[in-house]
Amino acid sequence: MLTVILGILVFYRHTQNEVIPAIILSILWVLFWNNSMLKGRMLLVIASAFGYVHELLGVQHGYFTYLGGAIGGAPIWLIPGYGAIFWSSYNLWKIFQERYSQQQWFHRVNYFIVASVALMVVADYAIFDLSLQPMAILLKFSLALMLFSSLDGLRLAYFTGFFTVLTEFTGEMLGTWMHPDFSLFSLMAGYVFLLWICITLSEVIKGKKKWGKIEPVAAVSITSFYILLLLGIVAV
């Protein structure tokens, strides 16, 4: 999947052809759909729908720009692409956890998270744009993580956001899209929030959603923030 995404980004960078990448990613999207249960299918649909609307509004308000875009400045391959990339990031960690969670060394994953967060803070502050609004961006990231109360949930949220941001970072470096303010933590917060929406809606449909004490407060806070963001009132 990562090879396919990289190939599509390079292809689009040099040709600006939206149709062929859209066809390839649509085939992957359908393949993933056929191999998913309710939660996976919800993730595919919601990530594609929410993601593309977010891209359209983001382009409109100047949060990022693409080389082209048949609809509102956002290329059509993002519709299946958002779902496929997000589904892949989610399942990459899920498969890893299911396969190795019983190993004695698995707890060291927590050390990786701490170390990678520290390295990203340094890189984001020194190279990217965390230095512009450090408190606001880190608050946004913290609120997103507060949507997940269990340690397993936090690991899932972190790695899903981490792997998805790698794709975002690759596209930025290749010049497929450009962000005037590029912050790793701001992007990760958005993907973690999107993951929470997907999981929450699937649990509500199943009638299994249980709300903790912190989660509703974080949910209302970060939802309000993103509404203001998409309206162009705030920019973090």
Side-chain angles (χ1 to χ4, degrees):
M1 179 62 196
L2 295 176
T3 303
V4 172
I5 293 300
L6 179 59
I8 286 173
L9 293 176
V10 172
F11 175 83
Y12 181 68
R13 174 69 180 83
H14 290 286
T15 67
Q16 297 185 36
N17 183 306
E18 300 181 28
V19 177
I20 293 177
I23 292 173
I24 295 172
L25 288 168
S26 294
I27 293 172
L28 284 174
W29 196 98
V30 172
L31 178 64
F32 294 158
W33 173 276
N34 290 334
N35 288 276
S36 298
M37 302 297 285
L38 176 62
K39 185 180 291 185
R41 292 181 173 182
M42 290 288 291
L43 192 148
L44 282 167
V45 172
I46 294 170
S48 292
F50 275 64
Y52 197 65
V53 170
H54 171 266
E55 297 296 308
L56 289 173
L57 293 173
V59 170
Q60 177 184 339
H61 294 301
Y63 298 140
F64 34 78
T65 56
Y66 287 90
L67 293 174
I71 304 174
I76 58 174
W77 56 265
L78 286 172
I79 300 174
Y82 236 102
I85 292 170
F86 210 60
W87 187 96
S88 299
S89 297
Y90 172 86
N91 279 280
L92 183 62
W93 172 251
K94 289 289 289 184
I95 292 171
F96 179 85
Q97 180 175 257
E98 290 170 1
R99 183 171 296 178
Y100 298 111
S101 61
Q102 301 304 315
Q103 299 293 323
Q104 291 184 347
W105 53 262
F106 185 77
H107 70 280
R108 295 177 183 173
V109 167
N110 299 330
Y111 302 144
F112 171 83
I113 293 176
V114 173
S116 63
V117 167
L119 287 174
M120 284 197 300
V121 167
V122 173
D124 205 347
Y125 194 90
I127 303 172
F128 304 116
D129 293 320
L130 179 62
S131 60
L132 298 180
Q133 302 182 67
M135 297 304 297
I137 290 173
L138 292 177
L139 174 61
K140 174 181 165 184
F141 181 67
S142 299
L143 283 171
L145 290 181
M146 287 166 60
L147 296 169
F148 296 85
S149 56
S150 68
L151 183 58
D152 284 343
L154 286 170
R155 289 194 192 113
L156 174 63
Y158 181 82
F159 280 105
T160 300
F162 182 80
F163 293 134
T164 310
V165 164
L166 288 181
T167 303
E168 189 90 13
F169 175 74
T170 302
E172 176 80 13
M173 295 300 101
L174 289 174
T176 306
W177 52 72
M178 291 169 286
H179 301 71
D181 299 324
F182 186 90
S183 168
L184 298 173
F185 285 98
S186 182
L187 292 170
M188 277 189 68
Y191 292 127
V192 170
F193 179 50
L194 180 57
L195 176 65
W196 176 81
I197 291 173
C198 296
I199 292 175
T200 298
L201 288 178
S202 66
E203 290 177 345
V204 168
I205 291 174
K206 290 180 180 179
K208 296 182 178 180
K209 178 60 183 174
K210 296 180 180 179
W211 295 90
K213 295 181 179 179
I214 299 177
E215 183 182 356
V217 176
V220 171
S221 300
I222 199 165
T223 300
S224 300
F225 166 79
Y226 274 105
I227 291 173
L228 296 174
L229 179 71
L230 294 176
L231 291 174
I233 298 173
V234 300
V236 176

